[in-house]
Amino acid sequence: MSDAGMISPELASAIRLVILDVDGVMTDGGVYYGVSDSGERVELKRFEITDGLGVHLLKRSGVEVAIVTGRRSEVVARRGRELGIEEVHQDPGAEKLPIVRDIMERKGFAWEAVAFLSDDLADIPVLRRVGLPVAVANAVPEVAAIARWRTGRRGGDGAVREFAEALLKSRGEWERVVKDYLQEREDAEWTGTG
Ligand SMILES: [Mg+2]
């Protein structure tokens, strides 16, 4: 678990939007380069499946989830679709700050309502402003120093799931949302839709 203990309930209760970086947060930062038989370049990343349920449970609690990355890759678009994340922004070379500002303006969220999960220096302008800056276990020291909470797990190894659980526990919503989720699964199995 996190070396920072519980997320402060005061910070956690204000969060309405969780923004995820991709490389080093949703993945271990590794990128696999390949070439298909037809000569097409192929880029692969490894995502952690348990993070997906974390995202799902956040959304069930009414917390929005967005992806903002500085690299463009079809697999990120696909993972975003799989997780039902509508705000997927892949903007190579661009600053993340204007993208985050745009999401907040459209949705009417203040900085206090935003959590951002990060591992590297490029995210610091955003981390300095959000209400809940979070560093994954593999984050560089500069990011860890700004973070108000740190995961015990590394990116690509359940850091997103750990954060989702910690946020919902701090808000007192974890037990209810898990109970509802399990009940729904059970109902689906009884009716044969699961
Ligand atoms: Mg990163």
Side-chain angles (χ1 to χ4, degrees):
M1 283 307 289
S2 166
D3 60 357
M6 197 179 173
I7 298 176
S8 143
E10 198 187 324
L11 293 178
S13 62
I15 298 305
R16 301 189 52 199
L17 172 67
V18 171
I19 303 180
L20 306 172
D21 174 41
V22 174
D23 299 290
V25 172
M26 294 178 75
T27 76
D28 63 4
V31 179
Y32 304 87
Y33 290 105
V35 183
S36 72
D37 287 344
S38 55
E40 219 177 318
R41 286 189 305 171
V42 177
E43 189 172 313
L44 302 175
K45 298 177 197 282
R46 176 194 172 279
F47 293 95
E48 168 61 39
I49 290 301
T50 61
D51 285 350
L53 186 54
V55 167
H56 178 71
L57 295 176
L58 282 174
K59 291 173 65 184
R60 284 182 81 109
S61 279
V63 176
E64 294 203 34
V65 180
I67 290 174
V68 177
T69 172
R71 282 181 58 89
R72 191 180 295 280
S73 165
E74 178 50 35
V75 289
V76 172
R78 183 173 160 192
R79 182 64 171 154
R81 284 195 298 273
E82 194 175 82
L83 299 178
I85 297 175
E86 285 168 18
E87 298 281 349
V88 178
H89 301 272
Q90 307 190 64
D91 208 353
E95 308 258 329
K96 293 187 181 182
L97 195 51
I99 298 172
V100 173
R101 272 210 179 101
D102 177 63
I103 300 172
M104 290 168 57
E105 270 170 32
R106 279 188 285 111
K107 296 188 175 286
F109 295 152
W111 286 111
E112 301 78 57
V114 181
F116 193 103
L117 271 69
S118 165
D119 69 316
D120 213 346
L121 298 175
D123 302 330
I124 285 182
V126 177
L127 291 170
R128 283 208 174 111
R129 288 170 171 82
V130 296
L132 180 51
V134 177
V136 291
N138 50 297
V140 297
E142 291 85 351
V143 166
I146 295 173
R148 304 289 299 270
W149 198 73
R150 290 186 291 275
T151 67
R153 288 194 169 266
R154 300 173 61 86
D157 188 31
V160 175
R161 173 63 169 271
E162 181 189 354
F163 169 74
E165 183 173 334
L167 186 79
L168 294 176
K169 279 184 174 166
S170 174
R171 291 156 72 102
E173 295 170 8
W174 176 253
E175 283 185 21
R176 178 191 56 78
V177 80
V178 168
K179 194 170 156 242
D180 288 354
Y181 168 76
L182 293 176
Q183 185 63 52
E184 197 178 279
R185 302 298 305 165
E186 208 163 288
D187 292 348
E189 269 171 43
W190 276 106
T191 55
T193 56

